[in-house]
Amino acid sequence: MKLSDLRYITQENINEAYINVTSADMYKEAQVFNTHMFDMHRLYWRFRIQSWAVVLISLILVPLLTVLYGRDSDLTQVTVLTAFFWLNFAIAALYIFCFCFFVLYKKLYDWRICMLYSAVTFLNRESIYGILASLILLVTICALLFIMNKIDVRLKDEVGYPYFVQLRITTKTEKFDEPGTELLSFDQFKANELNADGKLEIPSLDPLSNILEKNNEL
């Protein structure tokens, strides 16, 4: 849905998240708009969940796998004194930098770019289990990025991006806009209701006292 597809709802209504409907067609469009915003908000949160999964895999699992399962860095042989350990650490740091630059900073969710900078994690692989685990993680990340990219392109073309807030619908009649029918503040009401003695007359809520006052007047 684009702004040009809307007949009654304007950008100002979307910014204020409010619309006052004056016709049945206007109300119907507002209801359709709110339903669409609800669907887009769900799609947006689907995108967010997938992005969190990609960040978890890319910034935690892949670096750990690179450091612990690289050449001469098995879980039972990890020592900070080996040159290969520091090489694996440097490869993991390079991968993290590329991920943060392309995905988190540039917002590029292209799986082909991910394949390119992920290739560095295979430079120092020795264990077949480490290679298989890296392939599984790489395929998972690329699949998530592929879906994220499609969702991101769709969301950016939608009206209400990126918050997709539903409109608060009211049905105020135009008679309140006529002269003499505006709402009074308490000070204005108090000034209008003062009696001759300068006191504010408040009607009694007791029905019996009201009846007695009417009888006294008669």
Side-chain angles (χ1 to χ4, degrees):
M1 179 183 292
K2 298 182 179 180
L3 188 62
S4 58
D5 299 329
L6 302 174
R7 181 179 178 184
Y8 301 102
I9 300 174
T10 63
Q11 185 62 48
E12 182 180 358
N13 297 132
I14 297 174
N15 294 339
E16 296 177 353
Y18 165 81
I19 188 172
N20 180 45
V21 299
T22 56
S23 65
D25 292 338
M26 194 174 182
Y27 180 78
K28 183 178 179 180
E29 181 176 281
Q31 290 281 35
V32 172
F33 178 85
N34 282 347
T35 302
H36 187 70
M37 289 299 100
F38 177 77
D39 295 337
M40 291 298 101
H41 194 71
R42 290 179 58 186
L43 189 62
Y44 171 77
W45 274 104
R46 177 184 169 189
F47 174 86
R48 292 290 300 272
I49 293 173
Q50 291 176 348
S51 65
W52 293 337
V54 169
V55 170
L56 174 65
I57 296 173
S58 299
L59 297 185
I60 297 180
L61 298 184
V62 172
L64 283 177
L65 188 66
T66 302
V67 173
L68 299 180
Y69 281 93
R71 187 186 299 271
D72 292 340
S73 293
D74 290 337
L75 288 174
T76 58
Q77 300 176 359
V78 174
T79 61
V80 296
L81 300 178
T82 61
F84 282 117
F85 176 84
W86 287 109
L87 177 60
N88 297 332
F89 187 84
I91 292 174
L94 178 61
Y95 173 83
I96 292 175
F97 172 80
C98 292
F99 175 82
C100 293
F101 179 78
F102 289 107
V103 178
L104 301 183
Y105 178 69
K106 289 293 186 179
K107 308 295 183 183
L108 296 177
Y109 309 117
D110 193 337
W111 64 272
R112 291 164 294 189
I113 298 178
C114 176
M115 289 281 291
L116 291 177
Y117 63 75
S118 297
V120 299
T121 61
F122 293 89
L123 295 179
N124 202 35
R125 282 286 185 267
E126 187 177 47
S127 171
I128 185 64
Y129 299 106
I131 294 176
L132 291 177
S134 297
L135 285 175
I136 293 173
L137 292 181
L138 178 59
V139 171
T140 302
I141 294 173
C142 289
L144 290 174
L145 287 177
F146 177 77
I147 299 174
M148 287 173 56
N149 187 60
K150 293 182 63 176
I151 296 176
D152 184 61
V153 171
R154 179 183 176 185
L155 291 178
K156 288 181 178 179
D157 290 337
E158 292 290 336
V159 63
Y161 176 84
Y163 302 108
F164 302 112
V165 179
Q166 299 185 37
L167 298 179
R168 183 172 61 90
I169 303 175
T170 60
T171 56
K172 294 180 181 179
T173 58
E174 295 182 355
K175 65 180 182 179
F176 291 103
D177 296 332
E178 297 177 359
T181 58
E182 63 274 3
L183 296 177
L184 298 178
S185 66
F186 178 75
D187 293 335
Q188 293 172 330
F189 171 78
K190 182 178 178 180
N192 293 339
E193 297 297 325
L194 291 178
N195 56 19
D197 298 331
K199 296 182 179 180
L200 180 64
E201 294 183 351
I202 302 178
S204 174
L205 299 179
D206 186 3
L208 181 61
S209 62
N210 293 335
I211 295 174
L212 294 176
E213 290 179 0
K214 291 182 179 179
N215 291 334
N216 293 333
E217 292 178 356
L218 295 177

